[in-house]
Amino acid sequence: MTQPESRRKPISHPKPKHSTVRQLYATAFRCGKPECRRPLYRTNDETGEWLLNSRVSHIHARSENGPRWDSQMSAEENRSESNLLPLCSDHAAEIDDTPEHFPPELLREWKKVQVQEYLDLQRSWPLNDEQAEEAAAASFDAHRTGIAGAGAEAVVAAARNTGLMIELARAHRVEAAHAVVAWNAVRDRVNRGMPVFDTDGNRLRVEPSRAEITPLQEALHLALREAEAAQAGQIRLLVGELHAAQAANPALAPWCDWVEAASRDLVRAASRWPSPPGPDDTLLSEATDELKQAAKALAAAGRGEQTPVPPQRPTPSEPEEDADVRAAHLHRKLLEQAAPWGRVTHRPYDPDLYGRLVDAAGTVSGLPELPSLLTIGLDMTARLAARVARNADNSTFLELITQASSQAPLCVAAFLLRQLAMTAEQDGRTDLQRVARDATRRILVAETWQSVEVWEENQANVMPLMAWTADLAGADRIQSTLDTALERDPGLLAPMLAGIAQWSEPIDDGREGAMRGPTSSISSLPVWFPVGRAVALINARMPEVRPGDEDESERYSDRVERHASQALWLAAGNPSAW
């Protein structure tokens, strides 16, 4: 008689053979998680003895109800080499304690990378029978005991990483301070050599010219960017250790969260300078002290000692988040959700996620091409949409190409089609690649740019759209088309000038407390731009505007006049463009 389901003993497959364990260690050198550099064995610092630093993990659990259990897998398949993955002790614990973050497809990708590394480097750990028995016992008989040790190792590693982050922040702060000192030295020199007084006889402070200030600003910005970049890799390692510690001992979660939040505060403080070229403030030193305190508390909690509960961190109230901020937050969340499709090739097509990304592409199509926006802009959104569609069957992929062709505005359709074509090319689907490229050619060549609406809808992406069209139809054809468009409707001049302008990030202009927001300026006239027609229209419609470079054109507060001044200046220096 069949036992009731509630009384049935859970299935448990046999443990892997020692020969299988030897095979695993003979084809691996370090932890199977690609980002982890820990070897499967480590040396004792005092004796020099090699110590086991790893466990053999099951991709699909050995026991029913275990992580990633597969009821269709036979006992022999379950204990075979293909279902086993050597990992360092921390990550062996992490993948089983938080299996929702580590699906079997991901672990099989890790295994491929681990074996390929062995094939490339020929480094591994050939075990004798005694060592194989030790590794098997640690992996299959005493896993829970190993978790506590793994958690302790992760806490120690987290403390080591916080110390490195603090030292990196201090070292790079010195470079930033040197840049500020050089900046102020130039300011002092200018004021000593060129005294200026107001009508009452009071001496005024004079700022250096932009030509002198710009390289000093760039030196400071470079030092701050390098400080941020130096911390980027370190904080990823730290967060990984914190997750491992928390997986091994969930009670450590409040202190792990405290250390992570404090480390991110440190990165933010290290990558900024208050009101340059003014003096530094205490924000970095405060962030350093906070991270030290958090790391010390985590270590104490890891040892089981009494330690204060982490302080409550203030969170902004919901009403303070306006609609634009919330929309940006939701867009970033959407891109984060799609990011795994950009990293691996095996994920199945998700039509709902693809549709949301296409909708989002229209939302961000007006973002200017600024470095700070590239990771969330139209190109990145279209790229992730194409990656999500990668594993759609041929008929579905073809339908997506057709749908992309009809998207509006033009820039959304073009970016989507180009990314779909590149994805098809990467996967060797040459017929689909050809269809997507033909569709791109068709929509680009068909656009006549005769209406103000088309220019305004695509303003942030005019330059790439025109560059792609020039590759297809030639720059002369575009120039002729735009010349005709301006002749028919002189009102296209303003959006056309805005379309060829390039955006730049906010910079400090050298005055105390004065900041400029993102600005656009015309730094060159594209070969397809109808220079002669544009110059004639500027002279006729804006006779008071004079040629001026980026600095001289600042006399015009109106953006159209400023762009017109820059275009006249560039045209005067390059009469062959006429």
mmCIF file of all heavy atoms in Angstrom, residues 176-191 205 207-209 212-221 224 273-278 507-512 514-515:
data_model
loop_
_atom_site.group_PDB
_atom_site.id
_atom_site.type_symbol
_atom_site.label_atom_id
_atom_site.label_comp_id
_atom_site.label_asym_id
_atom_site.label_seq_id
_atom_site.Cartn_x
_atom_site.Cartn_y
_atom_site.Cartn_z
ATOM 1 N N ALA A 176 43.494 64.434 -4.897
ATOM 2 C CA ALA A 176 42.477 65.466 -5.107
ATOM 3 C C ALA A 176 42.879 66.770 -4.429
ATOM 4 O O ALA A 176 42.702 67.861 -4.983
ATOM 5 C CB ALA A 176 41.121 64.978 -4.574
ATOM 6 N N ALA A 177 43.443 66.667 -3.223
ATOM 7 C CA ALA A 177 43.864 67.866 -2.498
ATOM 8 C C ALA A 177 44.972 68.599 -3.250
ATOM 9 O O ALA A 177 44.989 69.836 -3.292
ATOM 10 C CB ALA A 177 44.335 67.481 -1.096
ATOM 11 N N HIS A 178 45.892 67.853 -3.857
ATOM 12 C CA HIS A 178 46.959 68.484 -4.643
ATOM 13 C C HIS A 178 46.381 69.274 -5.812
ATOM 14 O O HIS A 178 46.852 70.375 -6.131
ATOM 15 C CB HIS A 178 47.913 67.410 -5.175
ATOM 16 C CG HIS A 178 48.806 66.843 -4.121
ATOM 17 N ND1 HIS A 178 49.518 65.676 -4.284
ATOM 18 C CD2 HIS A 178 49.104 67.284 -2.861
ATOM 19 C CE1 HIS A 178 50.209 65.424 -3.188
ATOM 20 N NE2 HIS A 178 49.969 66.383 -2.314
ATOM 21 N N ALA A 179 45.333 68.728 -6.458
ATOM 22 C CA ALA A 179 44.702 69.426 -7.581
ATOM 23 C C ALA A 179 44.054 70.724 -7.114
ATOM 24 O O ALA A 179 44.119 71.753 -7.794
ATOM 25 C CB ALA A 179 43.665 68.516 -8.239
ATOM 26 N N VAL A 180 43.427 70.695 -5.945
ATOM 27 C CA VAL A 180 42.790 71.902 -5.413
ATOM 28 C C VAL A 180 43.841 72.949 -5.041
ATOM 29 O O VAL A 180 43.656 74.153 -5.284
ATOM 30 C CB VAL A 180 41.909 71.551 -4.194
ATOM 31 C CG1 VAL A 180 41.390 72.817 -3.520
ATOM 32 C CG2 VAL A 180 40.740 70.678 -4.620
ATOM 33 N N VAL A 181 44.941 72.507 -4.466
ATOM 34 C CA VAL A 181 46.031 73.442 -4.121
ATOM 35 C C VAL A 181 46.550 74.129 -5.379
ATOM 36 O O VAL A 181 46.771 75.355 -5.403
ATOM 37 C CB VAL A 181 47.165 72.684 -3.394
ATOM 38 C CG1 VAL A 181 48.406 73.561 -3.282
ATOM 39 C CG2 VAL A 181 46.709 72.260 -1.998
ATOM 40 N N ALA A 182 46.746 73.357 -6.462
ATOM 41 C CA ALA A 182 47.230 73.944 -7.715
ATOM 42 C C ALA A 182 46.224 74.941 -8.277
ATOM 43 O O ALA A 182 46.590 76.011 -8.791
ATOM 44 C CB ALA A 182 47.501 72.837 -8.730
ATOM 45 N N TRP A 183 44.955 74.625 -8.168
ATOM 46 C CA TRP A 183 43.888 75.511 -8.632
ATOM 47 C C TRP A 183 43.942 76.846 -7.886
ATOM 48 O O TRP A 183 43.912 77.931 -8.478
ATOM 49 C CB TRP A 183 42.560 74.801 -8.404
ATOM 50 C CG TRP A 183 41.334 75.465 -8.985
ATOM 51 C CD1 TRP A 183 41.189 76.766 -9.357
ATOM 52 C CD2 TRP A 183 40.089 74.825 -9.254
ATOM 53 N NE1 TRP A 183 39.925 76.985 -9.826
ATOM 54 C CE2 TRP A 183 39.227 75.807 -9.784
ATOM 55 C CE3 TRP A 183 39.606 73.536 -9.089
ATOM 56 C CZ2 TRP A 183 37.905 75.531 -10.145
ATOM 57 C CZ3 TRP A 183 38.290 73.257 -9.457
ATOM 58 C CH2 TRP A 183 37.460 74.241 -9.972
ATOM 59 N N ASN A 184 44.052 76.790 -6.558
ATOM 60 C CA ASN A 184 44.086 78.012 -5.757
ATOM 61 C C ASN A 184 45.371 78.809 -5.975
ATOM 62 O O ASN A 184 45.366 80.042 -5.866
ATOM 63 C CB ASN A 184 43.911 77.668 -4.268
ATOM 64 C CG ASN A 184 42.457 77.424 -3.905
ATOM 65 O OD1 ASN A 184 41.605 78.290 -4.128
ATOM 66 N ND2 ASN A 184 42.170 76.251 -3.353
ATOM 67 N N ALA A 185 46.456 78.095 -6.301
ATOM 68 C CA ALA A 185 47.713 78.810 -6.572
ATOM 69 C C ALA A 185 47.561 79.701 -7.806
ATOM 70 O O ALA A 185 48.055 80.834 -7.842
ATOM 71 C CB ALA A 185 48.849 77.809 -6.761
ATOM 72 N N VAL A 186 46.877 79.192 -8.830
ATOM 73 C CA VAL A 186 46.643 79.994 -10.030
ATOM 74 C C VAL A 186 45.741 81.184 -9.703
ATOM 75 O O VAL A 186 45.980 82.315 -10.162
ATOM 76 C CB VAL A 186 46.027 79.117 -11.140
ATOM 77 C CG1 VAL A 186 45.582 79.982 -12.328
ATOM 78 C CG2 VAL A 186 47.028 78.072 -11.604
ATOM 79 N N ARG A 187 44.733 80.970 -8.919
ATOM 80 C CA ARG A 187 43.834 82.071 -8.535
ATOM 81 C C ARG A 187 44.603 83.170 -7.787
ATOM 82 O O ARG A 187 44.424 84.367 -8.041
ATOM 83 C CB ARG A 187 42.690 81.542 -7.667
ATOM 84 C CG ARG A 187 41.794 80.537 -8.347
ATOM 85 C CD ARG A 187 40.780 79.971 -7.376
ATOM 86 N NE ARG A 187 39.629 80.839 -7.222
ATOM 87 C CZ ARG A 187 38.830 80.857 -6.157
ATOM 88 N NH1 ARG A 187 39.100 80.088 -5.129
ATOM 89 N NH2 ARG A 187 37.792 81.654 -6.111
ATOM 90 N N ASP A 188 45.462 82.738 -6.851
ATOM 91 C CA ASP A 188 46.235 83.728 -6.086
ATOM 92 C C ASP A 188 47.204 84.483 -6.994
ATOM 93 O O ASP A 188 47.384 85.701 -6.848
ATOM 94 C CB ASP A 188 47.014 83.017 -4.965
ATOM 95 C CG ASP A 188 46.089 82.467 -3.888
ATOM 96 O OD1 ASP A 188 44.931 82.920 -3.809
ATOM 97 O OD2 ASP A 188 46.533 81.579 -3.137
ATOM 98 N N ARG A 189 47.826 83.771 -7.923
ATOM 99 C CA ARG A 189 48.763 84.438 -8.833
ATOM 100 C C ARG A 189 48.061 85.494 -9.677
ATOM 101 O O ARG A 189 48.567 86.611 -9.856
ATOM 102 C CB ARG A 189 49.424 83.391 -9.737
ATOM 103 C CG ARG A 189 50.328 83.998 -10.823
ATOM 104 C CD ARG A 189 50.962 82.925 -11.682
ATOM 105 N NE ARG A 189 50.002 82.034 -12.287
ATOM 106 C CZ ARG A 189 49.246 82.346 -13.353
ATOM 107 N NH1 ARG A 189 49.337 83.566 -13.889
ATOM 108 N NH2 ARG A 189 48.410 81.479 -13.859
ATOM 109 N N VAL A 190 46.890 85.162 -10.184
ATOM 110 C CA VAL A 190 46.138 86.115 -11.013
ATOM 111 C C VAL A 190 45.764 87.353 -10.209
ATOM 112 O O VAL A 190 45.852 88.485 -10.698
ATOM 113 C CB VAL A 190 44.881 85.435 -11.597
ATOM 114 C CG1 VAL A 190 43.934 86.469 -12.215
ATOM 115 C CG2 VAL A 190 45.276 84.391 -12.631
ATOM 116 N N ASN A 191 45.370 87.167 -8.959
ATOM 117 C CA ASN A 191 44.952 88.314 -8.151
ATOM 118 C C ASN A 191 46.134 89.175 -7.704
ATOM 119 O O ASN A 191 45.998 90.390 -7.555
ATOM 120 C CB ASN A 191 44.154 87.832 -6.932
ATOM 121 C CG ASN A 191 42.711 87.536 -7.277
ATOM 122 O OD1 ASN A 191 41.867 88.413 -7.244
ATOM 123 N ND2 ASN A 191 42.438 86.280 -7.624
ATOM 124 N N ARG A 205 37.982 90.353 -6.096
ATOM 125 C CA ARG A 205 38.691 89.122 -6.424
ATOM 126 C C ARG A 205 38.455 88.799 -7.894
ATOM 127 O O ARG A 205 37.328 88.810 -8.378
ATOM 128 C CB ARG A 205 38.220 87.957 -5.557
ATOM 129 C CG ARG A 205 39.026 86.679 -5.792
ATOM 130 C CD ARG A 205 38.784 85.657 -4.710
ATOM 131 N NE ARG A 205 39.614 84.495 -4.908
ATOM 132 C CZ ARG A 205 40.892 84.368 -4.548
ATOM 133 N NH1 ARG A 205 41.497 85.396 -3.961
ATOM 134 N NH2 ARG A 205 41.571 83.267 -4.756
ATOM 135 N N GLU A 207 38.909 86.144 -11.132
ATOM 136 C CA GLU A 207 39.056 84.727 -11.425
ATOM 137 C C GLU A 207 39.916 84.538 -12.671
ATOM 138 O O GLU A 207 39.868 85.365 -13.595
ATOM 139 C CB GLU A 207 37.692 84.080 -11.640
ATOM 140 C CG GLU A 207 36.828 84.040 -10.396
ATOM 141 C CD GLU A 207 37.441 83.220 -9.278
ATOM 142 O OE1 GLU A 207 38.230 82.298 -9.584
ATOM 143 O OE2 GLU A 207 37.150 83.508 -8.108
ATOM 144 N N PRO A 208 40.711 83.477 -12.733
ATOM 145 C CA PRO A 208 41.513 83.194 -13.940
ATOM 146 C C PRO A 208 40.609 82.952 -15.144
ATOM 147 O O PRO A 208 39.411 82.702 -15.012
ATOM 148 C CB PRO A 208 42.288 81.930 -13.558
ATOM 149 C CG PRO A 208 42.225 81.865 -12.065
ATOM 150 C CD PRO A 208 40.943 82.489 -11.669
ATOM 151 N N SER A 209 41.193 82.972 -16.319
ATOM 152 C CA SER A 209 40.444 82.707 -17.536
ATOM 153 C C SER A 209 40.036 81.236 -17.577
ATOM 154 O O SER A 209 40.631 80.383 -16.906
ATOM 155 C CB SER A 209 41.295 83.024 -18.763
ATOM 156 O OG SER A 209 42.382 82.110 -18.848
ATOM 157 N N GLU A 212 42.778 78.802 -18.328
ATOM 158 C CA GLU A 212 43.636 78.399 -17.211
ATOM 159 C C GLU A 212 42.905 77.482 -16.242
ATOM 160 O O GLU A 212 43.505 76.561 -15.658
ATOM 161 C CB GLU A 212 44.120 79.646 -16.467
ATOM 162 C CG GLU A 212 45.088 80.522 -17.252
ATOM 163 C CD GLU A 212 45.494 81.747 -16.452
ATOM 164 O OE1 GLU A 212 44.641 82.636 -16.252
ATOM 165 O OE2 GLU A 212 46.657 81.802 -16.015
ATOM 166 N N ILE A 213 41.593 77.724 -16.059
ATOM 167 C CA ILE A 213 40.823 76.977 -15.068
ATOM 168 C C ILE A 213 40.504 75.561 -15.537
ATOM 169 O O ILE A 213 40.552 74.608 -14.760
ATOM 170 C CB ILE A 213 39.519 77.732 -14.728
ATOM 171 C CG1 ILE A 213 39.818 78.955 -13.868
ATOM 172 C CG2 ILE A 213 38.527 76.825 -14.017
ATOM 173 C CD1 ILE A 213 40.348 78.602 -12.493
ATOM 174 N N THR A 214 40.184 75.410 -16.827
ATOM 175 C CA THR A 214 39.695 74.108 -17.314
ATOM 176 C C THR A 214 40.639 72.942 -17.008
ATOM 177 O O THR A 214 40.199 71.913 -16.477
ATOM 178 C CB THR A 214 39.413 74.179 -18.819
ATOM 179 O OG1 THR A 214 38.368 75.141 -19.043
ATOM 180 C CG2 THR A 214 38.974 72.826 -19.359
ATOM 181 N N PRO A 215 41.957 73.022 -17.295
ATOM 182 C CA PRO A 215 42.816 71.869 -16.976
ATOM 183 C C PRO A 215 42.892 71.573 -15.480
ATOM 184 O O PRO A 215 43.070 70.428 -15.074
ATOM 185 C CB PRO A 215 44.185 72.272 -17.542
ATOM 186 C CG PRO A 215 44.131 73.750 -17.727
ATOM 187 C CD PRO A 215 42.712 74.082 -18.007
ATOM 188 N N LEU A 216 42.751 72.629 -14.653
ATOM 189 C CA LEU A 216 42.780 72.410 -13.202
ATOM 190 C C LEU A 216 41.504 71.720 -12.742
ATOM 191 O O LEU A 216 41.534 70.825 -11.880
ATOM 192 C CB LEU A 216 42.954 73.755 -12.491
ATOM 193 C CG LEU A 216 44.238 74.513 -12.861
ATOM 194 C CD1 LEU A 216 44.212 75.920 -12.276
ATOM 195 C CD2 LEU A 216 45.460 73.754 -12.363
ATOM 196 N N GLN A 217 40.368 72.141 -13.313
ATOM 197 C CA GLN A 217 39.112 71.450 -13.018
ATOM 198 C C GLN A 217 39.190 69.989 -13.433
ATOM 199 O O GLN A 217 38.773 69.091 -12.683
ATOM 200 C CB GLN A 217 37.959 72.129 -13.761
ATOM 201 C CG GLN A 217 37.583 73.502 -13.236
ATOM 202 C CD GLN A 217 36.538 74.153 -14.125
ATOM 203 O OE1 GLN A 217 36.548 73.962 -15.337
ATOM 204 N NE2 GLN A 217 35.648 74.913 -13.537
ATOM 205 N N GLU A 218 39.729 69.771 -14.620
ATOM 206 C CA GLU A 218 39.815 68.400 -15.133
ATOM 207 C C GLU A 218 40.725 67.535 -14.262
ATOM 208 O O GLU A 218 40.463 66.345 -14.057
ATOM 209 C CB GLU A 218 40.309 68.415 -16.578
ATOM 210 C CG GLU A 218 39.294 69.004 -17.546
ATOM 211 C CD GLU A 218 39.835 69.119 -18.955
ATOM 212 O OE1 GLU A 218 41.067 68.914 -19.137
ATOM 213 O OE2 GLU A 218 39.048 69.404 -19.870
ATOM 214 N N ALA A 219 41.804 68.130 -13.736
ATOM 215 C CA ALA A 219 42.706 67.373 -12.858
ATOM 216 C C ALA A 219 41.973 66.935 -11.585
ATOM 217 O O ALA A 219 42.140 65.796 -11.124
ATOM 218 C CB ALA A 219 43.926 68.219 -12.511
ATOM 219 N N LEU A 220 41.173 67.837 -11.034
ATOM 220 C CA LEU A 220 40.410 67.486 -9.827
ATOM 221 C C LEU A 220 39.374 66.414 -10.150
ATOM 222 O O LEU A 220 39.234 65.425 -9.413
ATOM 223 C CB LEU A 220 39.734 68.726 -9.254
ATOM 224 C CG LEU A 220 38.794 68.476 -8.054
ATOM 225 C CD1 LEU A 220 39.543 67.812 -6.911
ATOM 226 C CD2 LEU A 220 38.138 69.765 -7.601
ATOM 227 N N HIS A 221 38.624 66.626 -11.247
ATOM 228 C CA HIS A 221 37.602 65.650 -11.606
ATOM 229 C C HIS A 221 38.228 64.288 -11.883
ATOM 230 O O HIS A 221 37.662 63.245 -11.522
ATOM 231 C CB HIS A 221 36.830 66.135 -12.831
ATOM 232 C CG HIS A 221 36.049 67.386 -12.573
ATOM 233 N ND1 HIS A 221 35.593 68.203 -13.581
ATOM 234 C CD2 HIS A 221 35.645 67.972 -11.415
ATOM 235 C CE1 HIS A 221 34.940 69.228 -13.049
ATOM 236 N NE2 HIS A 221 34.975 69.116 -11.745
ATOM 237 N N LEU A 224 39.012 62.578 -8.614
ATOM 238 C CA LEU A 224 37.806 62.081 -7.949
ATOM 239 C C LEU A 224 37.256 60.850 -8.670
ATOM 240 O O LEU A 224 36.781 59.903 -8.024
ATOM 241 C CB LEU A 224 36.753 63.181 -7.892
ATOM 242 C CG LEU A 224 37.124 64.407 -7.049
ATOM 243 C CD1 LEU A 224 36.046 65.474 -7.140
ATOM 244 C CD2 LEU A 224 37.349 64.016 -5.584
ATOM 245 N N TRP A 273 34.137 66.666 -4.007
ATOM 246 C CA TRP A 273 34.881 67.706 -3.302
ATOM 247 C C TRP A 273 33.925 68.883 -3.116
ATOM 248 O O TRP A 273 33.316 69.338 -4.082
ATOM 249 C CB TRP A 273 36.114 68.147 -4.087
ATOM 250 C CG TRP A 273 37.020 69.034 -3.260
ATOM 251 C CD1 TRP A 273 36.856 70.360 -2.998
ATOM 252 C CD2 TRP A 273 38.185 68.624 -2.549
ATOM 253 N NE1 TRP A 273 37.857 70.815 -2.168
ATOM 254 C CE2 TRP A 273 38.693 69.769 -1.879
ATOM 255 C CE3 TRP A 273 38.862 67.415 -2.414
ATOM 256 C CZ2 TRP A 273 39.838 69.725 -1.090
ATOM 257 C CZ3 TRP A 273 39.997 67.383 -1.622
ATOM 258 C CH2 TRP A 273 40.487 68.519 -0.979
ATOM 259 N N PRO A 274 33.768 69.382 -1.883
ATOM 260 C CA PRO A 274 32.773 70.430 -1.644
ATOM 261 C C PRO A 274 33.194 71.764 -2.251
ATOM 262 O O PRO A 274 34.278 72.264 -1.985
ATOM 263 C CB PRO A 274 32.718 70.518 -0.110
ATOM 264 C CG PRO A 274 34.065 70.055 0.334
ATOM 265 C CD PRO A 274 34.486 68.997 -0.653
ATOM 266 N N SER A 275 32.345 72.340 -3.082
ATOM 267 C CA SER A 275 32.533 73.684 -3.643
ATOM 268 C C SER A 275 33.972 73.948 -4.077
ATOM 269 O O SER A 275 34.634 74.838 -3.544
ATOM 270 C CB SER A 275 32.128 74.737 -2.602
ATOM 271 O OG SER A 275 30.791 74.560 -2.221
ATOM 272 N N PRO A 276 34.484 73.167 -5.027
ATOM 273 C CA PRO A 276 35.860 73.435 -5.458
ATOM 274 C C PRO A 276 35.969 74.813 -6.066
ATOM 275 O O PRO A 276 35.033 75.292 -6.707
ATOM 276 C CB PRO A 276 36.102 72.345 -6.517
ATOM 277 C CG PRO A 276 34.735 71.965 -7.004
ATOM 278 C CD PRO A 276 33.841 72.137 -5.842
ATOM 279 N N PRO A 277 37.090 75.535 -5.811
ATOM 280 C CA PRO A 277 38.304 75.061 -5.145
ATOM 281 C C PRO A 277 38.356 75.408 -3.666
ATOM 282 O O PRO A 277 39.411 75.779 -3.138
ATOM 283 C CB PRO A 277 39.395 75.780 -5.919
ATOM 284 C CG PRO A 277 38.764 77.111 -6.243
ATOM 285 C CD PRO A 277 37.313 76.835 -6.468
ATOM 286 N N GLY A 278 37.212 75.334 -2.969
ATOM 287 C CA GLY A 278 37.199 75.629 -1.547
ATOM 288 C C GLY A 278 37.852 74.527 -0.731
ATOM 289 O O GLY A 278 38.268 73.497 -1.269
ATOM 290 N N ILE A 507 29.735 71.663 -14.647
ATOM 291 C CA ILE A 507 31.082 71.959 -14.166
ATOM 292 C C ILE A 507 31.044 73.210 -13.318
ATOM 293 O O ILE A 507 30.138 74.036 -13.423
ATOM 294 C CB ILE A 507 32.076 72.163 -15.333
ATOM 295 C CG1 ILE A 507 31.604 73.322 -16.231
ATOM 296 C CG2 ILE A 507 32.232 70.902 -16.145
ATOM 297 C CD1 ILE A 507 32.626 73.731 -17.274
ATOM 298 N N ASP A 508 32.040 73.349 -12.465
ATOM 299 C CA ASP A 508 32.204 74.564 -11.673
ATOM 300 C C ASP A 508 32.924 75.582 -12.531
ATOM 301 O O ASP A 508 33.947 75.284 -13.144
ATOM 302 C CB ASP A 508 33.034 74.226 -10.419
ATOM 303 C CG ASP A 508 33.087 75.374 -9.429
ATOM 304 O OD1 ASP A 508 33.223 76.524 -9.879
ATOM 305 O OD2 ASP A 508 33.004 75.102 -8.234
ATOM 306 N N ASP A 509 32.401 76.804 -12.610
ATOM 307 C CA ASP A 509 33.039 77.785 -13.485
ATOM 308 C C ASP A 509 34.093 78.624 -12.773
ATOM 309 O O ASP A 509 34.573 79.631 -13.302
ATOM 310 C CB ASP A 509 31.979 78.702 -14.118
ATOM 311 C CG ASP A 509 31.297 79.604 -13.098
ATOM 312 O OD1 ASP A 509 31.665 79.533 -11.902
ATOM 313 O OD2 ASP A 509 30.414 80.387 -13.489
ATOM 314 N N GLY A 510 34.457 78.249 -11.542
ATOM 315 C CA GLY A 510 35.523 78.963 -10.846
ATOM 316 C C GLY A 510 35.050 79.982 -9.841
ATOM 317 O O GLY A 510 35.826 80.455 -9.034
ATOM 318 N N ARG A 511 33.784 80.320 -9.850
ATOM 319 C CA ARG A 511 33.276 81.286 -8.880
ATOM 320 C C ARG A 511 32.696 80.544 -7.692
ATOM 321 O O ARG A 511 32.082 79.492 -7.835
ATOM 322 C CB ARG A 511 32.198 82.168 -9.531
ATOM 323 C CG ARG A 511 32.690 83.016 -10.673
ATOM 324 C CD ARG A 511 31.630 84.030 -11.045
ATOM 325 N NE ARG A 511 30.401 83.375 -11.462
ATOM 326 C CZ ARG A 511 30.063 83.170 -12.737
ATOM 327 N NH1 ARG A 511 30.885 83.549 -13.694
ATOM 328 N NH2 ARG A 511 28.929 82.577 -13.059
ATOM 329 N N GLU A 512 32.875 81.106 -6.520
ATOM 330 C CA GLU A 512 32.380 80.471 -5.303
ATOM 331 C C GLU A 512 30.879 80.233 -5.417
ATOM 332 O O GLU A 512 30.098 81.150 -5.664
ATOM 333 C CB GLU A 512 32.663 81.368 -4.082
ATOM 334 C CG GLU A 512 34.142 81.515 -3.750
ATOM 335 C CD GLU A 512 34.700 80.262 -3.114
ATOM 336 O OE1 GLU A 512 33.901 79.395 -2.756
ATOM 337 O OE2 GLU A 512 35.923 80.165 -2.970
ATOM 338 N N ALA A 514 29.023 78.963 -7.595
ATOM 339 C CA ALA A 514 28.359 79.042 -8.895
ATOM 340 C C ALA A 514 28.525 77.732 -9.645
ATOM 341 O O ALA A 514 29.628 77.267 -9.825
ATOM 342 C CB ALA A 514 28.937 80.184 -9.721
ATOM 343 N N MET A 515 27.435 77.120 -10.044
ATOM 344 C CA MET A 515 27.487 75.868 -10.806
ATOM 345 C C MET A 515 26.681 76.021 -12.094
ATOM 346 O O MET A 515 25.648 76.683 -12.104
ATOM 347 C CB MET A 515 26.891 74.711 -9.995
ATOM 348 C CG MET A 515 27.793 74.180 -8.909
ATOM 349 S SD MET A 515 29.263 73.375 -9.534
ATOM 350 C CE MET A 515 28.608 71.825 -10.081
#
